[in-house]
Amino acid sequence: MDIYFLGTNAGVPTLQRNVTSVALRLLEERRTMWLFDCGEGTQQQILRSPLKLSKLEKIFITHLHGDHLFGLPGLLSSRAYQGGTSPLTVYGPAGLKQYIDMSLELSQSRINYRLDVVEHHGGLIFEDEQFKVEAALLEHRVDSYGYRVTEKDKPGKLDAAVMEKYGIRPGPLYGKLKRGEAIELDDGRVIQPREVLGVPKKGRIVTILGDTRPCRNALLLSEGANLMIHEATFLHDLAETAYEYHHSTSLQAAETAKDAGAGALIMTHFSSRYKDMDQLQELLDEAKSVFPNSMLAEEHVLFQVPC
């Protein structure tokens, strides 16, 4: 699981940074990637990255402000021209389907793959044998959601010595045990998976929050997360401004990470007033004073999700 930032600025793009979009690469887990938000210019950013639209499986939109979704119609259309034929599902707040349908219809864009749009009001919005995704409403000027992506625990490794003791050779029986199924040997003995498997590998949790003031649901979504991605639009000396515009400061993001027991924090969604890395360093220093394992999102930089 890797995080790749395609846009880190708030409101409008600048010469230094694009507007919001975050990719979660799941190449080892399912050979796909998921996208969280799709601000204007996201597809251009993808062209400059190692990411491929043909690998895109899901898009999660946090809210319907332009800096988080103006790039969506163009990206959906371009995917059809870049080898994307597999189904794609877009999740987001009420109104998202109308926006997508109208944009594609009026521009006469042709989509040659199955496109599903799922409007939700939070809760469990996706689950399969590998992952589940939960959403909860945050505190912003419009309905804005955070997403909690949970990787399910993986079975432990087969103990070769124990397998040899039971006389089990590599083959279909290995697969059954790895899937958690009991097997019966030729002599009638029943072997349970727990007898031959090591300790399960704990799945990781990634929380990606939309625009928000500090709120209870941000804490709940981030509880125990290996990695939390939180907006940090302003330094804390502009806390009143942040509150007025329903945003957070870097200090508040760090406090949320600390209170939630998160493993690491990456801050993003920076105000255009912070133009260079020296100014952004002030946000980082502020956050680290509360939560030492804080980082700044950087565009076109790959962040590994910690175990």
Side-chain angles (χ1 to χ4, degrees):
M1 297 173 71
D2 299 318
I3 293 290
Y4 192 95
F5 287 91
L6 295 162
T8 61
N9 210 59
V12 295
T14 68
L15 291 174
Q16 295 80 22
R17 300 188 297 270
N18 201 53
V19 283
T20 301
S21 185
V22 183
L24 174 62
R25 298 201 317 174
L26 303 168
L27 299 184
E28 292 185 7
E29 292 78 11
R30 57 201 296 138
R31 298 181 181 178
T32 59
M33 74 167 180
W34 295 354
L35 202 62
F36 292 80
D37 285 333
C38 189
E40 178 186 356
T42 293
Q43 63 171 313
Q44 287 283 346
Q45 292 286 79
I46 288 176
L47 291 174
R48 300 184 183 97
S49 79
L51 308 177
K52 297 183 183 300
L53 283 180
S54 59
K55 297 288 187 182
L56 183 59
E57 181 186 28
K58 296 181 182 297
I59 302 175
F60 300 88
I61 299 298
T62 60
H63 63 294
L64 302 187
H65 278 159
D67 58 327
H68 293 256
L69 89 163
F70 277 167
L72 189 54
L75 182 141
L76 294 176
S77 178
S78 294
R79 184 176 185 264
Y81 293 95
Q82 296 183 25
T85 57
S86 58
L88 174 64
T89 305
V90 185
Y91 302 83
L96 178 62
K97 189 176 190 318
Q98 180 184 2
Y99 172 76
I100 292 175
D101 288 348
M102 184 174 294
S103 299
L104 296 180
E105 179 183 350
L106 292 178
S107 62
Q108 299 185 33
S109 299
R110 295 182 179 181
I111 303 296
N112 62 352
Y113 54 85
R114 176 178 169 182
L115 176 64
D116 295 316
V117 181
V118 177
E119 295 184 342
H120 65 81
H121 298 280
L124 179 65
I125 62 173
F126 169 75
E127 184 171 19
D128 65 8
E129 68 280 357
Q130 289 180 300
F131 290 92
K132 68 176 181 179
V133 181
E134 300 162 285
L137 189 64
L138 303 174
E139 190 174 325
H140 195 49
R141 288 177 291 157
V142 299
D143 285 356
S144 179
Y145 287 89
Y147 294 100
R148 179 183 176 95
V149 180
T150 302
E151 178 188 31
K152 295 185 177 180
D153 294 350
K154 298 177 182 179
K157 293 183 178 180
L158 290 169
D159 189 319
V162 176
M163 298 290 281
E164 185 177 350
K165 184 183 76 172
Y166 285 128
I168 306 172
R169 297 185 177 278
L173 295 182
Y174 270 50
K176 285 188 174 183
L177 289 167
K178 286 285 285 184
R179 291 193 298 270
E181 302 173 20
I183 63 170
E184 184 175 351
L185 302 181
D186 292 339
D187 59 11
R189 287 179 297 167
V190 175
I191 307 300
Q192 298 293 336
R194 64 177 179 273
E195 299 178 61
V196 296
L197 290 174
V199 177
K201 183 179 179 182
K202 185 70 175 173
R204 289 159 290 179
I205 299 171
V206 178
T207 298
I208 300 175
L209 303 175
D211 292 4
T212 186
R213 290 171 175 166
C215 65
R216 176 172 171 75
N217 277 347
L219 275 173
L220 294 176
L221 287 170
S222 305
E223 184 176 0
N226 297 74
L227 176 64
M228 181 183 80
I229 297 174
H230 195 299
E231 68 133 292
T233 309
F234 301 105
L235 279 165
H236 202 66
D237 61 1
L238 292 174
E240 291 185 6
T241 302
Y243 184 85
E244 179 183 355
Y245 289 99
H246 293 77
H247 286 296
S248 296
T249 68
S250 53
L251 190 68
Q252 290 167 339
E255 289 171 341
T256 299
K258 179 181 178 181
D259 293 344
L265 164 68
I266 301 180
M267 296 178 293
T268 187
H269 200 266
F270 309 121
S271 168
S272 298
R273 71 185 61 208
Y274 310 115
K275 298 187 184 303
D276 54 38
M277 288 304 296
D278 287 341
Q279 292 175 303
L280 289 179
Q281 184 64 39
E282 294 183 52
L283 280 84
L284 182 59
D285 292 341
E286 190 170 78
K288 283 191 168 186
S289 70
V290 171
F291 189 74
N293 200 15
S294 297
M295 295 168 276
L296 295 171
E298 295 183 62
E299 295 175 19
H300 300 296
V301 173
L302 196 63
F303 293 84
Q304 282 196 337
V305 177
C307 295

